[in-house]
């Protein structure tokens, strides 16, 4: 059973930093896309960043240059380093996984639909 568990959220002042972690377990898929999403009260959920099993990364324009997604495969953990935080980064942050036994290519296009989600960790940035 696939399990994702986020941690590392908290309250910081504007300009501060946080590192979110997502511990993963229960799968050995060869191809994947791991992503961080966020949802603020009254707003739609948005993808913040993703990384696929080929090492390709992508970021939302609002976080480019400030956030970095990474992974430690030995620890089965996904990270999101968040620097220069702004009040508008305040949201619940979720880890998500798109898993496949098919290699990335014409029959598996990663990062389009996520099968598994964590419960989230709250990030609050005060001005």
């Amino acid at each position: 059973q696939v399990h994702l568990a986020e941690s590392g959220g908290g309250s910081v002042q504007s300009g501060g930093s946080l590192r979110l972690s997502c511990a993963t377990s229960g799968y050995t898929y060869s191809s994947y896309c791991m992503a961080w999403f966020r949802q603020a009260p009254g707003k739609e959920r948005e993808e913040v960043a993703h990384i696929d099993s080929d090492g390709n990364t992508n970021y939302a324009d609002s976080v480019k240059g400030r956030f970095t997604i990474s992974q430690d495969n030995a620890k089965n953990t996904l990270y999101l380093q968040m620097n220069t935080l702004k009040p508008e980064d305040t949201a619940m942050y979720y880890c998500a996984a798109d898993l496949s036994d098919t290699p990335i290519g014409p029959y598996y296009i990663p990062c389009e639909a996520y099968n598994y989600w964590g419960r989230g960790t709250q990030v609050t940035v005060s001005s």
Side-chain angles (χ1 to χ4, degrees), residues 2-18:
V2 178
H3 184 64
L4 308 177
E6 303 94 337
S7 62
S11 297
V12 295
Q13 291 191 328
S14 181
S17 298
L18 283 173

Side-chain angles (χ1 to χ4, degrees), residues 28-40:
T28 56
Y29 293 88
S30 58
S31 304
Y32 59 82
C33 181
M34 299 295 298
W36 288 98
F37 284 77
R38 67 185 180 186
Q39 187 167 22

Side-chain angles (χ1 to χ4, degrees), residues 38-121:
R38 67 185 180 186
Q39 187 167 22
K43 295 188 177 181
E44 292 188 356
R45 184 175 63 194
E46 65 169 339
E47 183 178 302
V48 175
H50 71 237
I51 183 168
D52 67 26
S53 45
D54 282 350
N56 300 304
T57 60
N58 189 69
Y59 296 90
D61 288 343
S62 58
V63 306
K64 281 181 182 176
R66 300 189 298 122
F67 291 11
T68 302
I69 190 170
S70 63
Q71 57 189 350
D72 184 334
N73 290 331
K75 295 182 178 180
N76 294 324
T77 303
L78 178 74
Y79 300 102
L80 185 68
Q81 178 66 44
M82 306 186 295
N83 298 327
T84 319
L85 283 160
K86 305 175 181 180
E88 50 264 43
D89 295 318
T90 295
M92 184 71 80
Y93 283 71
Y94 298 91
C95 172
D98 166 20
L99 307 175
S100 176
D101 285 324
T102 303
I104 292 175
Y107 301 105
Y108 170 55
I109 299 174
C111 315
E112 291 193 336
Y114 295 90
N115 320 82
Y116 304 96
W117 294 82
R119 293 187 175 185
T121 185

